[in-house]
Amino acid sequence: MNLSLVDPFILAQDIPEALIARLRSSGNSVCIRFNHQGDLLASGTSKGGIAIFDLETNGVARKLRGHTPGRQISSLSWSASGRYLLSAAVDWRCILWDLQDGSRLRTINLGAPVFCAELHPDNHLQCIAALYEEQPVMTDMTTNTPKTTPLTSIPKRSSYDEEGHSDKAAAKDAKHFTSTALFHPSGKYIITGTTKGWLNIISTTTAETIYSLRLSPKPIVQLRLSDSGTSLLTNSADTIIRTLRLPDLNSPTFTADTLNLVVEHKFQDVVNRLSWNAIAFSPSSDYVMASTLMNHDIYIWERGHGSLVKILEGPREELGSIDWHPVRPCVAATGVESGRIYLWSVNTPQRWSALAPDFAEVEENVEYVEEEGEFDILEAGEVERRREGGEGEAVDVLTIDIKEKNAKGAKTEAFRMPVLLDIDASDSEDDMVAIGAGQYRRRSHGDIQDADEPGTNGAGVNGKKR
């Protein structure tokens, strides 16, 4: 019914226009990710906590605590169904959460701080991770004892490349580390970016690099793929955002020998030479957006001509992690200073005339004169006749019929996270207070003032530092 109140021309818009909401849970948000259905937003904080926001109410639906308090969450990844969430942090661990009850399904210690981790598109018990000054790994979590397969960061060079077979080149290749990694939607390949600016495509089955391309002289900071897997977006430390067209890697006729990737567009600020914090595709991959370093704007480019079409202005603070809603023209970003989550979308004024053709807006209050018999009490016979017409039937408002269409167009059951009514009873990093090296206690009701609030300097209500 509410959809009828919205102008259809507004629903057809592709780009958000204005800041519409500010979300805040406990802790400073540093990374965010929409689930594939678009009804939930996961947020990782600088203190190791995770909050799940319900986008229908903009409220916190669940809090998750399992990483070491005080260690920042580095990345979040949703499973295709939306039931499982993989979180990675600088405490060397990746945790697979089951949102059916908020439990920790698997916990993996990778032995190094984790740059990013991502779930397999079809198997939530398999993931890849890029580690700090270590080689990337692919992990199988089918059993309680995860099996880790190391991957390489060294690019594959052509047999005609004489420099690639020299001792000097071998010494340089030993310094290659993977800074970002993700799965192709087919699940058959892994795409990684290195600290030397190389792009590698690795086979999932053989764990060997089948193709490499030198993109930038500086490290590749972030990679994003379109939902179809035909477009790749890269963010490098050389202040240039690049888009590349990918062939159909899932095609049975695909061979790595014929693969030749070419940069399609380069997006940059040639005037101010701005650097970019994070990048993202629009749902249709027709637009590219990026948050700026030491700036409070979000730039949106159109891919067809490579032109800048919109600059989203919002709070007067630098914006960090960003993500585009998978269905709506809605963009989310984190504030670096405040830790809040900001939402941009289109203004949707309601059209009540869609439900009541005689509806009219008035500038001033008008006295309403009721018609004769308009509010009269109905006779007993009339009530019974209306009940027989179906008005008295019981309506089930508790059962939710959740169905979505898969890639083949068939309807499949989707996951809906159960509502946690007592959100205060959920585990949260803000319920714990450090009392010593590696020692914590649960926050009491007397701890009124949060140690993270500006001006407290970690002092409690009695003014003494914890």
Side-chain angles (χ1 to χ4, degrees), residues 57-119:
T57 61
N58 288 344
V60 178
R62 178 156 293 174
K63 295 179 182 179
L64 307 174
R65 186 181 66 87
H67 289 279
T68 303
R71 299 300 179 92
Q72 177 175 309
I73 302 294
S74 56
S75 73
L76 298 167
S77 177
W78 289 90
S79 65
S81 64
R83 175 172 177 174
Y84 304 99
L85 177 70
L86 180 70
S87 62
V90 296
D91 64 352
W92 301 7
R93 292 189 295 174
C94 292
I95 298 179
L96 181 64
W97 304 89
D98 185 356
L99 298 183
Q100 179 68 34
D101 54 3
S103 61
R104 281 174 276 178
L105 194 62
R106 297 287 190 275
T107 300
I108 317 165
N109 191 325
L110 297 177
V114 185
F115 276 138
C116 67
E118 181 165 327
L119 288 175

Side-chain angles (χ1 to χ4, degrees), residues 359-381:
F359 177 83
E361 295 184 1
V362 295
E363 297 180 357
E364 298 180 356
N365 292 336
V366 177
E367 183 178 356
Y368 178 76
V369 179
E370 63 179 86
E371 298 179 358
E372 183 68 24
E374 182 176 0
F375 299 106
D376 291 348
I377 298 177
L378 298 177
E379 297 179 358

Side-chain angles (χ1 to χ4, degrees), residues 185-414:
S186 65
K188 297 180 179 180
Y189 301 97
I190 301 170
I191 304 176
T192 66
T194 71
T195 55
K196 298 295 183 180
W198 282 84
L199 183 73
N200 296 327
I201 299 180
I202 304 173
S203 173
T204 306
T205 55
T206 63
E208 295 180 355
T209 304
I210 64 171
Y211 180 81
S212 297
L213 174 66
R214 181 71 181 273
L215 278 182
S216 166
K218 299 292 184 67
I220 297 178
V221 180
Q222 187 183 10
L223 296 174
R224 295 297 291 266
L225 268 172
S226 61
D227 294 337
S228 60
T230 59
S231 298
L232 178 66
L233 186 63
T234 70
N235 179 23
S236 304
D238 60 355
T239 71
I240 299 178
I241 299 173
R242 298 171 175 86
T243 57
L244 297 89
R245 283 284 185 182
L246 296 180
D248 185 6
L249 302 182
N250 200 28
S251 174
T253 60
F254 168 75
T255 58
D257 298 333
T258 60
L259 185 59
N260 184 23
L261 300 183
V262 180
V263 176
E264 180 187 37
H265 287 297
K266 293 183 178 180
F267 304 100
Q268 59 181 324
D269 189 339
V270 296
V271 178
N272 300 319
R273 304 294 297 177
L274 295 174
S275 298
W276 314 105
N277 282 336
I279 55 175
F281 268 125
S282 65
S284 61
S285 71
D286 292 334
Y287 299 94
V288 172
M289 73 169 179
S291 60
T292 54
L293 178 67
M294 304 298 293
N295 198 289
H296 57 269
D297 296 331
I298 294 179
Y299 284 62
I300 300 179
W301 295 274
E302 192 265 335
R303 285 186 59 197
H305 301 87
S307 57
L308 181 66
V309 295
K310 188 75 174 179
I311 298 179
L312 295 179
E313 297 181 356
R316 295 293 175 177
E317 66 170 320
E318 181 182 349
L319 300 175
S321 177
I322 58 175
D323 200 16
W324 201 308
H325 194 278
V327 180
R328 309 173 192 167
C330 178
V331 168
T334 61
V336 174
E337 299 174 6
S338 66
R340 290 186 176 90
I341 300 175
Y342 300 95
L343 296 179
W344 287 263
S345 187
V346 295
N347 292 321
T348 54
Q350 295 179 339
R351 298 183 309 124
W352 290 98
S353 58
L355 298 181
D358 57 345
F359 177 83
E361 295 184 1
V362 295
E363 297 180 357
E364 298 180 356
N365 292 336
V366 177
E367 183 178 356
Y368 178 76
V369 179
E370 63 179 86
E371 298 179 358
E372 183 68 24
E374 182 176 0
F375 299 106
D376 291 348
I377 298 177
L378 298 177
E379 297 179 358
E382 180 66 20
V383 173
E384 294 296 331
R385 284 193 294 271
R386 292 195 177 187
R387 287 179 179 176
E388 293 176 359
E391 292 188 6
E393 295 180 359
V395 180
D396 185 5
V397 297
L398 299 178
T399 304
I400 303 176
D401 184 15
I402 311 170
K403 291 186 178 181
E404 63 175 6
K405 292 184 178 180
N406 57 17
K408 297 182 181 179
K411 287 187 176 181
T412 58
E413 294 294 329

Side-chain angles (χ1 to χ4, degrees), residues 24-27 43 45 48-53 59-66 85 97-99 101-103 417-418 420 422-431:
R24 180 64 182 268
S25 64
S26 50
S43 166
T45 68
I50 300 170
I52 310 296
F53 288 91
V60 178
R62 178 156 293 174
K63 295 179 182 179
L64 307 174
R65 186 181 66 87
L85 177 70
W97 304 89
D98 185 356
L99 298 183
D101 54 3
S103 61
M417 188 176 71
L420 186 62
D422 189 8
I423 189 65
D424 294 331
S426 64
D427 287 334
S428 170
E429 81 285 355
D430 287 317
D431 296 333

